[in-house]
Amino acid sequence: EQIGKNFWLELKNGVLLCKLVKGIAPHSIGKFDEKPKHYLEEKANITRYIDACKKIGLPDQDMIDPLDMSDSKKDPLALLRNIYALGRQAQAMGYTGPSLGVRYYKTVEDQERLKAKREEERKQEQEHWGRVREAQRVRRDELEEAKQARAKLKTEQAKH
C-alpha cells in the first residue's frame, strides 16, 4: 500500500504497521482492527504491532512505545528508526520482498550468540593468562626459596 501525503496520519492508527509486519512474518501478528474508530482501537493496533516486532526478534532499543504514536507525544523519528530496524531484521530473517535500509546477514539472535561467544572466549583467555601468571609466581617463589636455601647452606659451610 502507498502512504498518502500525511505520513503520520496514515501510520498513527497502526493499520499499515500491522499489515507491514504481517507481510514480513504472517504468523507474528494475529487479528487487528483494520478500521479503528477510537483511540483505544488505534492503541491496540500499535500494541499488536510492537508485540509482533518483539516476536520476530527486534531488540528493545529499536522498539517504539505506544505513547510515541499518540497525538500528544508523537515521535515520528522513533517510528522511522523502528521501521528501519524492522527492515533490517526482515532481511536477516530471509524476507525477499521489497526492502528498506542496510541488509544485515545475521538476525539479532545470531548477533547476540556471536557476542556471547566472543565474551566467553575473552573470559577463557583471561582465565588462561591468570593461570599463566599464577604459575610464573609459583615458579619465582620456588626459585627464591632455592636461592635462599643455597645461601643458607653456603653460610653454614663457611662456619665449619
Side-chain angles (χ1 to χ4, degrees):
E1 281 188 47
Q2 288 189 346
I3 296 179
K5 291 182 180 182
N6 192 329
F7 166 80
W8 188 254
L9 286 176
E10 297 280 337
L11 295 177
K12 82 175 193 113
N13 67 10
V15 174
L16 288 178
L17 295 172
C18 288
K19 287 180 179 181
L20 172 65
V21 79
K22 189 174 188 101
I24 293 168
H27 300 293
S28 66
I29 191 166
K31 197 168 179 153
F32 57 93
D33 194 338
E34 294 200 33
K35 294 186 181 184
K37 297 169 191 72
H38 188 271
Y39 166 75
L40 293 176
E41 293 171 342
E42 292 178 355
K43 186 177 176 187
N45 280 349
I46 297 297
T47 301
R48 286 183 185 102
Y49 168 75
I50 292 168
D51 291 343
C53 287
K54 288 178 182 177
K55 279 183 187 175
I56 64 172
L58 251 65
D60 289 340
Q61 72 262 17
D62 291 327
M63 298 307 297
I64 57 170
D65 185 282
L67 290 176
D68 291 336
M69 301 298 290
S70 68
D71 286 329
S72 61
K73 190 194 174 241
K74 67 178 167 181
D75 188 354
L77 289 177
L79 178 59
L80 285 174
R81 283 190 298 270
N82 171 263
I83 292 171
Y84 268 91
L86 179 60
R88 288 190 307 265
Q89 184 67 4
Q91 291 176 54
M93 292 169 41
Y95 177 73
T96 58
S99 62
L100 174 70
V102 177
R103 178 170 175 78
Y104 279 10
Y105 293 96
K106 293 184 174 95
T107 63
V108 173
E109 292 86 10
D110 291 340
Q111 293 173 34
E112 289 296 322
R113 278 193 289 276
L114 183 59
K115 181 179 175 185
K117 180 182 174 190
R118 287 181 182 152
E119 182 64 28
E120 181 62 29
E121 288 170 352
R122 186 186 65 78
K123 183 179 173 185
Q124 288 175 353
E125 187 173 344
Q126 285 177 336
E127 290 172 356
H128 166 75
W129 288 111
R131 288 189 301 272
V132 167
R133 283 190 296 276
E134 178 62 20
Q136 288 172 340
R137 185 193 61 75
V138 167
R139 182 67 180 142
R140 268 193 316 271
D141 290 349
E142 290 171 349
L143 291 173
E144 185 62 32
E145 287 175 14
K147 183 178 174 184
Q148 289 173 359
R150 280 193 306 271
K152 185 177 178 182
L153 185 61
K154 275 186 179 181
T155 305
E156 288 176 5
Q157 287 176 349
K159 287 181 185 178
H160 294 303

